[in-house]
Amino acid sequence: MLMEPQVLRLFSHGANVLDILSRIEPAAIGMMASALQRGLGETFTPEVMRDPPRVGLAGILKQLSDPEVQKALGVLFLLLKALGKAFGHLNEDMKALEGLMAKMMPKK
């Protein structure tokens, strides 16, 4: 049962996830989680959660001048850039795999 293709694929995916996680500094993760928890606690107070602010177009433009919002947007755009790069690498890998399979499989 352990040699089933689905189980082997699951092990492979698990190994990839563990590899990615092993590259992240544990102290940095703890610091980021703690900072995120403090920031969320300061921002989402019970009063704010009972009556969240409504923001229109003018409010959005005003928020864009807030340094904290600008930092968060910077991180968000870095994440989006990383996702774009990941999709680019995925496309390259898929093309390489398709080329390899085409060489291995005879044409009918």
Side-chain angles (χ1 to χ4, degrees):
M1 190 163 126
L2 289 176
M3 297 307 290
E4 292 284 331
Q6 296 89 345
V7 175
L8 293 174
R9 195 173 17 245
L10 182 64
F11 286 146
S12 175
H13 292 316
N16 289 337
V17 169
L18 290 175
D19 180 52
I20 292 168
L21 292 176
S22 71
R23 296 171 193 226
I24 300 173
E25 179 64 38
I29 292 174
M31 288 171 45
M32 287 188 302
S34 176
L36 180 61
Q37 183 181 13
R38 286 193 317 256
L40 289 172
E42 293 169 3
T43 304
F44 293 103
T45 62
E47 296 80 25
V48 169
M49 294 306 294
R50 269 190 243 111
D51 188 24
R54 295 179 60 177
V55 179
L57 184 57
I60 290 172
L61 294 175
K62 183 178 177 185
Q63 289 294 322
L64 290 175
S65 65
D66 184 336
E68 291 175 346
V69 172
Q70 290 175 350
K71 287 179 188 177
L73 285 172
V75 170
L76 182 62
F77 283 114
L78 284 174
L79 178 62
L80 290 172
K81 187 173 185 174
L83 284 172
K85 286 182 179 183
F87 283 115
H89 293 308
L90 180 63
N91 285 336
E92 292 170 6
D93 293 345
M94 288 298 292
K95 287 179 184 176
L97 180 61
E98 288 171 356
L100 180 64
M101 290 180 69
K103 289 179 183 177
M104 293 173 56
M105 302 294 257
K107 292 185 179 182
K108 292 183 179 183

